[in-house]
Amino acid sequence: MNVPLTVPARLRGLAGSLKRATGPLPRPTRRGLVFDAALALVLGIAALQYALEYADGPVGAGADGVVGPWDPAGPPPPPPPVPSGELPSADEQASAFGSAALAIAAAAPLALRRRYPLAVLWVVTVAVALTPTEAPRITSYACVFAAYGAAAYSPYRVATLASLPVAVFALSRLADGTLPVVQNEYVPLLILVPIVVAANGLRAWQLRAGESHARMSALERERAEELRRAAEQERARIARELHDVVTHNVSVMVIQAGAARKVMDTTPDRAREALLAVEASGRAAMAELRHAMGLLTMDDDGNSTEDPSDKAEAIPDLAPQPGLGQLDALVRRVREAGLPVELTVSGTPRPVPSGVGLAAYRVVQEALTNTVKHAAGSTAEVTVAYGDDRLRVEVTDTGGTPSASAATGGGRGLIGLRERLAVYGGTLHTGQRPGGGYRVEAAIPLEDM
């Protein structure tokens, strides 16, 4: 049900709309303040000069202090009056003082027309209302600039729209007298000032356009640099994944193939077991490679031209990446490759983020691969400890002799592990054991699950 508003409520609503601002007060630049101060000074001097001339009386035969045009066919204009040399009376002095005060009151506030545009308009409007109708030039020019400043800069739009008609009414009162006329000495200034302002505006626009182009170029360069860094990081990540997959499985396959070759003639059963281990390692490597390549070639936009049946067949290839649950299978493959390995799990096993599980799996995989390559004939032990706030993974071996494939390593695997663990705030410590052998230990913080 709509309740009609009372008169006081409507008045309060109107007053609130007058005080409502559409934004903050403008903050003019130093250049704008200097321009407004110069404008106020120039208009003030011109209006003050005219006010003093008005107080002394009309000049010549023209009205409003302007000499009227001379008609050659008519009589010549009368000469200006000769000063009598008498001192001005008290009324003339008061008139001169009042006209000068109106000129200053109308021109001085223009220095703040950008900072307080509506207040300046009100002050100038009051000065216009007090201006004699015979001397409109004292305040009319200042009122025009004040009205423009309020319309352009004031955030109080309703109050400004209500004040502009008042200023127009005050100016229309001055139209009952003689309209202001630009004197001849100000005509060159009237022509040159707009040209200078237009040229300065064009120059400022060119400078802003140049700065905008420079900013756009800088943003484009930054974007290209970010894309380049992202591509490099992605290449490094892919290289780490491929290194972890290929190095481990290929090393196991090489060792098993070499063992099968040596015992093929004497003990075919052991050779057959070695070849089965090679086959299992190859299948595992193919599965992980297929997973990595599937992520790289996946079409996110759905614009692939492949047959849907091919996609359906490729979906099972994208199996989840290995984690802590696949450590038993990893240890079993390494044990079948000829390296005695024991897996020990302490603490209460609990689910961990997939990224953390993959990082722990890669630590064990890289450490056992290095043991196979650099410590043939040794035994290894894998320990996974679930703590309250962290996961600890340790791989140790008893030391042995380097295999033929040991010379191909470049240390990139451990570097990749440190980078992988750093993503999750983990650390990696590696080094020789006091009693012989090598030790790799990783610690990964665990958030509360």
Side-chain angles (χ1 to χ4, degrees):
M1 180 177 180
N2 295 328
V3 178
L5 296 177
T6 60
V7 175
R10 293 181 179 180
L11 292 178
R12 285 195 297 270
L14 179 60
S17 63
L18 290 175
K19 295 187 295 183
R20 187 180 301 115
T22 58
L25 283 173
R27 295 184 178 275
T29 61
R30 180 174 299 180
R31 179 183 298 179
L33 293 175
V34 171
F35 177 81
D36 291 344
L39 175 65
L41 181 62
V42 171
L43 285 181
I45 293 175
L48 185 61
Q49 179 184 0
Y50 173 74
L52 296 177
E53 291 178 357
Y54 167 76
D56 292 339
V59 180
D64 197 28
V66 178
V67 179
W70 175 61
D71 185 6
V82 179
S84 60
E86 298 178 358
L87 293 176
S89 62
D91 294 339
E92 292 176 345
Q93 291 180 354
S95 176
F97 177 77
S99 299
L102 285 175
I104 296 175
L110 293 179
L112 300 175
R113 70 185 185 96
R114 299 175 195 257
R115 189 67 181 91
Y116 305 104
L118 190 57
V120 170
L121 176 61
W122 289 344
V123 173
V124 176
T125 301
V126 172
V128 171
L130 299 176
T131 302
T133 57
E134 299 83 4
R137 198 181 298 161
I138 296 178
T139 56
S140 57
Y141 297 131
C143 186
V144 172
F145 283 102
Y148 171 79
Y153 305 115
S154 176
Y156 302 97
R157 307 311 300 170
V158 177
T160 300
L161 294 177
S163 301
L164 288 176
V166 178
V168 172
F169 175 77
L171 279 177
S172 65
R173 186 185 63 85
L174 298 181
D176 295 338
T178 305
L179 292 175
V181 180
V182 178
Q183 296 181 356
N184 293 335
E185 58 266 27
Y186 298 129
V187 172
L189 186 64
L190 187 64
I191 297 175
L192 291 176
V193 168
I195 295 177
V196 172
V197 172
N200 181 70
L202 179 61
R203 176 60 178 168
W205 176 81
Q206 291 176 343
L207 291 176
R208 286 195 298 269
E211 292 175 356
S212 300
H213 180 71
R215 286 195 298 269
M216 290 297 296
S217 300
L219 289 176
E220 290 179 357
R221 288 194 297 269
E222 291 178 1
R223 179 177 174 81
E225 181 65 20
E226 291 177 357
L227 291 176
R228 186 187 64 80
R229 288 197 297 266
E232 290 180 353
Q233 293 175 359
E234 185 65 14
R235 285 195 295 267
R237 185 188 68 83
I238 295 171
R240 289 195 300 269
E241 289 289 340
L242 295 178
H243 174 273
D244 294 339
V245 172
V246 174
T247 303
H248 168 75
N249 290 285
V250 172
S251 297
V252 173
M253 291 167 64
V254 169
I255 293 176
Q256 290 286 7
R261 177 180 56 83
K262 293 180 180 178
V263 299
M264 184 176 298
D265 296 331
T266 57
T267 54
D269 293 338
R270 293 184 57 187
R272 182 174 178 275
E273 294 177 359
L275 291 177
L276 290 176
V278 170
E279 181 182 3
S281 298
R283 291 183 181 278
M286 287 298 297
E288 294 192 31
L289 285 175
R290 192 178 297 116
H291 174 83
M293 299 307 296
L295 292 178
L296 294 176
T297 58
M298 184 179 296
D299 188 3
D300 295 332
D301 298 332
N303 297 326
S304 176
T305 59
E306 295 180 4
D307 186 74
S309 60
D310 296 338
K311 288 186 176 181
E313 293 176 359
I315 290 176
D317 294 337
L318 297 180
Q321 296 204 58
L324 294 175
Q326 284 73 40
L327 286 181
D328 288 330
L330 174 64
V331 170
R332 184 172 60 254
R333 288 199 304 270
V334 175
R335 190 181 296 118
E336 292 174 354
L339 176 65
V341 184
E342 294 295 333
L343 174 61
T344 303
V345 179
S346 62
T348 303
R350 62 181 186 272
V352 298
S354 59
V356 173
L358 176 62
Y361 181 89
R362 296 303 187 197
V363 169
V364 177
Q365 185 182 54
E366 177 67 20
L368 292 180
T369 301
N370 290 337
T371 300
V372 171
K373 293 170 58 177
H374 300 279
S378 65
T379 60
E381 183 177 356
V382 178
T383 303
V384 178
Y386 290 88
D388 295 335
D389 56 353
R390 68 171 184 169
L391 175 69
R392 187 177 66 88
V393 179
E394 184 183 48
V395 181
T396 59
D397 63 62
T398 57
T401 58
S403 64
S405 60
T408 60
R412 288 186 295 271
L414 296 179
I415 296 176
L417 287 180
R418 286 191 172 90
E419 294 178 356
R420 186 188 295 273
L421 293 171
V423 174
Y424 305 99
T427 57
L428 181 70
H429 299 282
T430 62
Q432 298 288 336
R433 299 173 63 190
Y438 203 78
R439 172 175 168 269
V440 176
E441 181 183 13
I444 308 173
L446 293 179
E447 298 180 356
D448 294 335
M449 302 298 292

